[in-house]
């Protein structure tokens, strides 16, 4: 073992076979179950996030299809009202919390260090921890559903219906504790992204050279850090009311039910942006590659990403227009909700201008990215409508809102994600997805989606309330619902084609090589799939498009990709300054570790104990949590945390 | 074509005070925890404004124990800071003594606060005010306990001679968390113990 010096001049070298072998030895994760439980490699964690999120997407999709069978015709008796309540609530919980953000976290986890020229995230073990907690919380919440105690009050779970008096089962306890549980994962992940972007960028990658996807996930992470505590607190107070007789929400004892709505939506609306901004970022980075030109308006798009979120903190009350608040509050929040269309429009026009002035290559990925613009505009316009108080009073709690939110969430999350799979699958696996099957995949999803949800606006305008388990004959909603149900099955078939394509191409897809799309950003400068250490040498960046400098001729300077800091004294990467990305420090990165997994087991025991009132289990889990954290944080010489690692 | 020339400055290796990622990590933790207390206090003031009739209990929490207890907590922050100055100047013993004093003062705070809780004329279930009081001060107390566990760890590690000079990031990181917990107390203290006098 080498004694760590307190300071060092990092070696500069060209990447060689010998150094690659050395780095591989240092960074690789052992195969088998040991590696599976202990790895901190952001690429493996990213893939796991994506696969797990898709598993939840499939579950949530099946729930939706069952509901669409129930609603396909009037007065169907396939489901009881209670079953229907649990299905639509679990569907919302699954898609919004267990699919939409985690899938984006998966892409960001995999791609961030590769986009930034780093060897891992800033906190590799925390990264593994946030994944494990996500899985554990997902299982926790689905355990309730499996025993017939899933959430049954909609995903936003209004009191007093969620209170014990009206909802005596364990449904709400599973949901409340599960959401607090999941919040740990979200917050830890968000913190990791923020520190990663501010500390581990390659030298020269100043803040104005970041890919837009980084801006998207960074903005979303900053928001999550600030708003996740609101919803965790709301659920905690609900749980206290239900289990310990406090009086936060029960009206008879002076509680304030509207406080629930405030706390929920202070979180909920920024969350909506958190689950679309990273996806918009993926479009901003992917679409231009297929237009063979850089994105039009990098700076306005980056700024509008941040502006959307800043405004997004001030619009939560538009979910509460019908609760009888003062006119002044309604006017303010209505105004903010309408103004937010401006930064969104900036992005839309930037994408349109990029297509217009580029030479589009129509691939499946391009189709998904470009169609997202259409769906975003439709969802944006219906959102603009409901941002207006009088229109909202007419439309609130109707299917119009359901149509709107599906255009927004499927349009700006799932379509970009599908595009991103076509775009980055070659990087993940080294193989291309099948383009012909891809066309079938895209058109089935696009047509199916619009058949399902475009008529739904009309269903809402004609007065069908959301969240009813069935409806009487002769209301004029029959054929609309039937069309929606048919469309939803077509849409689901489209997603099935995507899954088939992934499974099939992973085995026998065409080999991709490092840069099959001739793209411009750093992840395409390394082999596909990338080696465990990502970069044999840390690249040095002089432009926004390191791989397009020759074509673009923006200046004479060229990024250095093959020669750079070697950093092979154990696991190391470079830390740079936050804005200019000047070299600042050599970071010692942790080895693979079981601590994140064990800590997750301890935290899970704590939550199960709280749920079942098994206080001994909660105590054991609590003590194990403290112990696991202490072991994790025990200062290590190899990480340069103790004095015998050299000091001065 | 000009390839950039790479400089080879001497740079620190590993965890160095504010330049490591640990400092950034604790800043993230403090940001999200501070948000939590913002929402807790938002809930309190929301109740204070929305409750028709009298919101405060007839006997609001008194200053007799809480005021000296506030001083105790602030002193403990000072002790941590003093220990940190020590380690930076290579005075190991000052570090250990500072942390030990902070730990004792922190334990004193928790003990006195437990007595303070028992003195109240209301309970967790007796009114919405009681629910808010015990939940918010309870949240703060949980953070103090977490802070004490951190101080214990730092004390053990310091006694083992782990830290010296610039290799002392954990002291900085654990210390700033403790300062944060103390700062939050000032806001909680103001909310529950001082605002009744503002009527």
């Amino acid at each position: 073992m080498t004694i760590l010096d307190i300071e060092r001049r990092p070696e500069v070298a060209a990447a060689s076979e010998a150094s690659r072998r050395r780095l591989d030895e240092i960074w690789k994760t052992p195969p088998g179950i040991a590696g599976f439980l202990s790895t901190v490699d952001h690429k493996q964690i990213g893939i796991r996030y994506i696969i797990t999120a898709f598993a939840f997407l499939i579950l949530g999709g099946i729930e939706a299809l069952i509901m669409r069978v129930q609603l396909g015709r009037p007065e169907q008796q396939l489901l009881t009202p209670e079953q229907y309540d649990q299905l639509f609530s679990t569907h919302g919980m699954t898609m919004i919390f267990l699919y939409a953000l985690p899938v984006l976290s998966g892409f960001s986890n995999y791609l961030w260090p590769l986009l930034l020229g780093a060897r891992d995230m800033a906190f590799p073990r925390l990264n593994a921890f946030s994944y494990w907690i996500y899985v554990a919380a997902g299982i926790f919440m689905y355990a309730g559903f499996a025993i017939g105690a899933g959430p049954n009050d909609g995903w936003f779970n209004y009191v007093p219906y969620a209170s014990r008096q009206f909802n005596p089962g364990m449904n709400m306890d599973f949901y409340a504790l599960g959401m607090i549980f999941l919040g740990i994962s979200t917050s830890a992940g968000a913190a990791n992204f923020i520190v990663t972007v501010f500390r581990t960028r390659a030298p020269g990658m100043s803040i104005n050279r970041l890919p837009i996807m980084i801006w998207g996930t960074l903005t979303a992470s900053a928001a999550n850090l600030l708003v996740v505590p609101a919803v965790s607190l709301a659920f905690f107070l609900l749980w206290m009311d239900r289990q310990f007789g406090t009086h936060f929400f029960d009206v008879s004892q002076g509680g304030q039910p509207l406080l629930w709505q405030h706390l929920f939506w202070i979180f909920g609306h920024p969350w909506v942006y958190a689950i679309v901004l990273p996806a918009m970022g993926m479009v901003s980075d992917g679409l231009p590659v297929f237009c063979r030109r850089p994105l039009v308006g990098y700076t306005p798009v980056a700024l509008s990403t941040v502006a959307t979120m800043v405004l997004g903190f001030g619009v939560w009350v538009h979910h509460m227009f019908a609760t009888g608040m003062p006119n002044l509050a309604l006017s303010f929040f209505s105004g903010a909700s309408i103004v937010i269309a401006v930064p969104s429009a900036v992005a839309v026009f930037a994408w349109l201008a990029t297509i217009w002035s580029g030479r589009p290559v129509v691939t499946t990925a391009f189709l998904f990215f470009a169609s997202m613009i259409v769906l975003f505009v439709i969802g944006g316009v219906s959102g603009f409508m409901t941002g207006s108080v009088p229109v909202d009073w007419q439309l609130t709690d109707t299917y119009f809102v359901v149509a709107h939110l599906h255009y927004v969430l499927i349009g700006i999350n799932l379509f970009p994600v599908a595009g991103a799979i076509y775009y980055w699958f070659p990087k993940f696996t080294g193989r291309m997805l099948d383009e012909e099957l891809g066309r079938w995949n895209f058109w089935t999803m696009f047509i199916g989606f619009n058949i399902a949800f475009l008529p739904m606006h009309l269903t809402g305008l004609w007065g069908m309330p959301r969240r009813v388990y069935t409806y009487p004959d002769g209301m004029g909603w029959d054929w609309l619902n039937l069309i929606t149900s048919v469309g939803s099955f077509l849409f689901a078939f489209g997603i099935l084609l995507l899954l088939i394509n992934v499974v099939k191409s992973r085995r026998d897809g065409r080999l991709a090589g490092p840069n099959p799309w001739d793209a411009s950003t750093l992840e395409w400068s390394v082999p596909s799939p990338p080696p465990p250490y990502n970069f044999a040498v840390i690249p040095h960046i002089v432009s926004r498009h390191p791989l397009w400098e020759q074509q673009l001729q923006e200046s004479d300077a060229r990024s250095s990709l093959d020669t750079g800091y070697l950093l092979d004294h154990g696991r190391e990467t470079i830390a740079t300054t936050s804005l200019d990305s000047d070299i600042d420090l050599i970071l010692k990165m942790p080895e693979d570790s079981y601590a994140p997994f064990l800590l997750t087991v301890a935290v899970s025991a704590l939550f199960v104990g709280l749920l079942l009132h098994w206080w001994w289990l909660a105590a054991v889990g609590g003590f194990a949590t403290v112990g696991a954290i202490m072991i994790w944080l025990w200062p290590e010489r190899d990480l340069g945390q103790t004095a015998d690692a050299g000091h001065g | 074509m000009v390839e950039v020339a790479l400089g080879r400055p001497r740079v620190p290796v590993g965890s160095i005070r504010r330049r490591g990622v640990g400092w950034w990590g604790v800043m993230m933790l403090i940001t999200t925890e501070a948000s939590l207390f913002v929402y807790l206090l938002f809930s309190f003031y929301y109740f204070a404004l929305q409750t028709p009739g009298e919101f405060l209990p007839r006997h609001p929490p008194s200053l007799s124990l809480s005021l000296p207890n506030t001083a105790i907590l602030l002193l403990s922050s000072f002790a941590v800071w003093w220990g940190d100055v020590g380690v930076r100047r290579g005075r190991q013993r000052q570090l250990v003594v500072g942390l030990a004093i902070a730990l004792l003062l922190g334990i004193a705070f928790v003990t006195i606060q437990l007595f303070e809780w028992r003195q109240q004329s209301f309970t967790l279930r007796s009114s919405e005010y009681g629910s808010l009081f015990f939940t918010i001060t309870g949240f703060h107390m949980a953070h103090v306990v977490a802070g004490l566990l951190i101080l214990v760890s730092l004390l053990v590690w310091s006694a083992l001679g782990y830290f010296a000079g610039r290799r002392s990031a954990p002291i900085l990181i654990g210390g700033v968390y403790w300062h944060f917990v103390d700062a939050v107390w000032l806001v909680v203290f103001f909310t529950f113990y001082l605002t009744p006098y503002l009527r």
Side-chain angles (χ1 to χ4, degrees):
Chain A
M1 196 192 307
T2 54
I3 298 287
L4 289 172
D5 299 315
I6 192 134
E7 283 183 349
R8 196 170 101 210
R9 289 186 194 280
E11 236 182 286
V12 174
S16 69
E17 258 332 291
S19 65
R20 282 178 191 279
R21 265 200 305 278
R22 236 177 94 69
L23 285 167
D24 195 67
E25 209 49 52
I26 293 171
W27 284 87
K28 76 176 177 199
T29 289
I33 186 81
F36 179 79
L37 293 179
S38 68
T39 187
V40 296
D41 183 338
H42 70 96
K43 299 181 287 299
Q44 296 199 28
I45 294 167
I47 295 290
R48 284 179 197 177
Y49 255 111
I50 296 173
I51 291 175
T52 313
F54 262 83
F56 283 118
L57 178 77
I58 292 167
L59 284 172
I62 292 170
E63 288 149 18
L65 292 180
I66 297 171
M67 288 189 287
R68 282 323 309 178
V69 174
Q70 163 78 11
L71 294 174
R73 296 178 49 72
E75 295 177 43
Q76 292 255 82
Q77 298 300 329
L78 177 70
L79 298 169
T80 64
E82 170 65 19
Q83 285 171 336
Y84 187 85
D85 289 349
Q86 289 199 27
L87 272 180
F88 82 72
S89 307
T90 305
H91 168 75
M93 167 194 93
T94 306
M95 295 309 201
I96 289 171
F97 297 120
L98 299 176
Y99 158 75
L101 187 78
V103 78
L104 301 178
S105 298
F107 278 98
S108 292
N109 256 313
Y110 193 101
L111 292 168
W112 269 44
L114 293 167
L115 289 167
L116 295 173
R119 286 193 175 140
D120 207 325
M121 301 277 287
F123 300 108
R125 289 175 294 187
L126 190 66
N127 206 18
F129 174 69
S130 72
Y131 170 75
W132 289 121
I133 288 282
Y134 156 53
V135 176
I139 293 172
F140 185 92
M141 292 202 271
Y142 257 90
F145 183 67
I147 63 165
N152 56 5
D153 185 16
W155 69 282
F156 43 78
N157 208 52
Y158 281 175
V159 289
Y161 183 62
S163 309
R164 193 167 188 175
Q165 190 187 349
F166 306 103
N167 211 329
M170 284 178 82
N171 312 51
M172 285 300 130
D173 303 312
F174 270 109
Y175 192 32
L177 290 172
M179 284 297 293
I180 299 169
F181 199 173
L182 182 65
I184 300 171
S185 162
T186 312
S187 305
N192 206 351
F193 284 127
I194 296 173
V195 181
T196 299
V197 76
F198 283 117
R199 292 303 279 157
T200 67
R201 305 198 305 268
M205 189 180 281
S206 50
I207 201 101
N208 56 342
R209 290 176 182 157
L210 291 174
I212 299 285
M213 177 188 176
I214 304 271
W215 282 105
T217 308
L218 173 65
T219 308
S221 301
N224 281 340
L225 212 54
L226 297 174
V227 300
V228 166
V231 79
S232 298
L233 176 64
F235 276 106
F236 180 79
L237 298 182
L238 175 65
W239 183 68
M240 291 282 286
D241 264 12
R242 292 175 55 87
Q243 302 300 332
F244 299 101
T246 52
H247 307 294
F248 295 107
F249 303 125
D250 66 346
V251 190
S252 60
Q253 298 286 327
Q256 297 283 351
L258 270 191
L259 178 63
W260 169 272
Q261 298 195 20
H262 280 296
L263 287 175
F264 190 91
W265 290 117
I266 284 174
F267 153 81
H269 204 86
W271 178 265
V272 173
Y273 292 114
I275 60 184
V276 299
L277 287 174
M280 290 165 70
M282 297 198 296
V283 174
S284 295
D285 289 342
L287 187 68
V289 170
F290 298 103
C291 298
R292 312 308 302 147
R293 58 152 301 147
L295 178 71
V296 173
Y298 171 92
T299 307
V301 172
L303 291 178
S304 70
T305 304
V306 178
T308 303
M309 190 50 89
V310 172
L311 290 171
F313 286 123
V315 299
W316 81 86
V317 169
H318 73 218
H319 296 270
M320 302 165 61
F321 279 162
T323 55
M325 301 227 285
N327 277 334
L328 182 66
L330 296 185
S331 310
F332 173 83
F333 283 95
S334 175
S337 307
I338 288 170
V339 164
I340 211 164
V342 174
S344 306
V346 168
V348 166
F349 285 113
W351 296 323
L352 290 178
T354 305
I355 299 176
W356 187 263
S357 62
R359 286 169 288 128
V361 182
V362 182
T363 60
T364 307
F366 174 85
L367 288 171
F368 273 111
F369 291 149
S371 65
M372 169 270 198
I373 305 173
V374 178
L375 304 180
F376 183 22
V377 169
I378 298 175
V381 168
S382 59
F384 190 84
M385 289 167 70
T386 47
S388 158
V389 176
V391 183
D392 183 76
W393 280 350
Q394 186 66 28
L395 296 174
T396 194
D397 276 332
T398 69
Y399 263 88
F400 188 87
V401 176
V402 181
H404 159 69
L405 76 92
H406 283 87
Y407 264 91
V408 175
L409 295 181
I410 295 178
I412 329 180
N413 182 296
L414 187 56
F415 273 77
V417 162
I421 289 174
Y422 278 88
Y423 181 48
W424 278 297
F425 186 83
K427 183 50 62 186
F428 295 169
T429 64
R431 292 182 183 274
M432 311 290 286
L433 283 170
D434 186 319
E435 274 293 314
E436 198 186 325
L437 187 50
R439 297 309 159 92
W440 282 98
N441 171 198
F442 168 74
W443 287 109
T444 324
M445 272 176 70
F446 186 74
I447 295 170
F449 172 74
N450 284 294
I451 291 177
F453 290 99
L454 205 54
M456 197 184 271
H457 292 98
L458 207 53
T459 320
L461 284 168
W462 288 354
M464 179 161 167
R466 63 196 288 205
R467 299 179 166 174
V468 288
Y469 85 108
T470 190
Y471 51 93
D473 208 354
M475 303 292 287
W477 305 331
D478 310 10
W479 61 277
L480 284 169
N481 273 299
L482 188 60
I483 291 174
T484 295
S485 293
V486 170
S488 68
F489 274 87
L490 189 59
F491 179 56
F493 181 68
I495 292 175
L496 182 65
L497 292 179
L498 172 64
L499 300 178
I500 291 171
N501 201 350
V502 165
V503 171
K504 182 172 139 329
S505 302
R506 189 175 152 60
R507 227 184 20 248
D508 55 13
R510 195 157 53 78
L511 286 176
N515 191 1
W517 311 115
D518 185 23
S520 70
T521 39
L522 277 181
E523 80 273 31
W524 303 104
S525 70
V526 298
S528 310
Y533 50 86
N534 293 354
F535 296 92
V537 294
I538 304 291
H540 191 112
I541 303 304
V542 297
S543 75
R544 213 171 272 160
H545 305 282
L547 306 189
W548 278 2
E549 285 162 4
Q550 202 60 37
Q551 295 99 298
L552 292 177
Q553 293 292 345
E554 285 171 333
S555 81
D556 283 345
R558 293 288 175 268
S559 297
S560 167
L561 304 176
D562 298 322
T563 303
Y565 300 120
L566 190 55
L567 301 180
D568 60 350
H569 303 202
R571 289 191 179 182
E572 292 178 334
T573 193
I574 207 82
T576 48
T577 55
S578 301
L579 297 181
D580 299 329
S581 269
D582 294 327
I583 173 170
D584 189 42
L585 182 109
I586 295 169
L587 284 173
K588 304 299 287 185
M589 306 297 271
E591 298 294 315
D592 291 349
S593 162
Y594 292 103
F597 179 75
L598 294 177
L599 180 55
T600 303
V601 172
V603 176
S604 306
L606 173 65
F607 274 90
V608 172
L610 293 177
L611 176 76
L612 300 175
H613 289 205
W614 291 357
W615 303 123
W616 61 270
L617 184 62
V620 170
F623 281 117
T625 299
V626 171
I629 293 175
M630 263 186 200
I631 292 168
W632 181 334
L633 296 179
W634 202 274
E636 285 175 55
R637 186 169 173 275
D638 286 351
L639 296 178
Q641 292 170 332
T642 60
D644 60 351
H647 60 87
Chain B
M1 192 183 103
V2 189
E3 191 148 282
V4 289
L6 288 172
R8 288 190 59 202
R10 280 188 78 81
V11 288
V13 181
S15 175
I16 298 287
R17 301 290 291 180
R18 285 190 175 78
R19 288 166 80 174
V21 286
W23 169 257
W24 284 72
V26 76
M27 286 296 131
M28 297 299 119
L29 179 66
I30 287 176
T31 305
T32 197
E33 297 257 53
S35 309
L36 173 65
F37 280 98
V38 166
Y39 298 121
L40 278 164
L41 294 169
F42 168 79
S43 304
F44 175 85
Y45 289 107
Y46 183 86
F47 266 94
L49 290 171
Q50 298 282 334
T51 301
E54 192 52 60
F55 170 64
L56 293 177
R58 188 179 316 209
H59 303 291
S62 103
L63 286 172
S64 60
L65 285 177
S66 61
L67 192 59
N69 216 12
T70 303
I72 287 174
L73 202 57
L74 292 181
L75 275 177
S76 78
S77 244
F78 182 76
V80 169
W81 170 81
W82 181 73
D84 188 48
V85 170
V87 73
R88 273 186 283 152
R89 299 191 181 154
R91 296 198 288 262
Q92 300 273 354
R93 185 174 301 168
Q94 183 175 331
L95 171 65
V96 174
V97 171
L99 289 172
I101 294 173
L103 183 64
L104 291 175
L105 290 170
I107 292 170
F109 174 86
V110 171
T111 315
I112 294 172
Q113 184 65 20
L114 287 175
F115 276 106
E116 221 279 323
W117 274 355
R118 291 178 55 183
Q119 280 186 353
Q120 304 306 342
S121 59
F122 45 83
T123 68
L124 181 71
R125 299 160 185 239
S126 65
S127 65
E128 70 273 21
Y129 181 90
S131 299
L132 284 161
F133 176 86
F134 284 104
T135 301
I136 295 174
T137 55
F139 259 104
H140 179 260
M141 188 80 117
H143 283 74
V144 174
V145 172
L148 290 177
L149 290 169
I150 292 171
L151 289 181
V152 169
S153 311
L154 292 177
L155 184 59
V156 171
W157 296 337
S158 302
L160 290 171
Y162 280 4
F163 309 121
R166 289 200 285 164
R167 286 275 188 234
S168 56
I171 302 292
L172 182 74
I173 292 166
V176 78
Y177 186 79
W178 186 251
H179 299 321
F180 162 71
V181 170
D182 295 357
V184 167
W185 172 253
L186 293 180
V187 186
V188 172
F189 175 74
F190 174 81
T191 298
F192 284 105
Y193 296 88
L194 294 185
T195 53
Y197 293 93
L198 298 178
R199 283 187 296 175

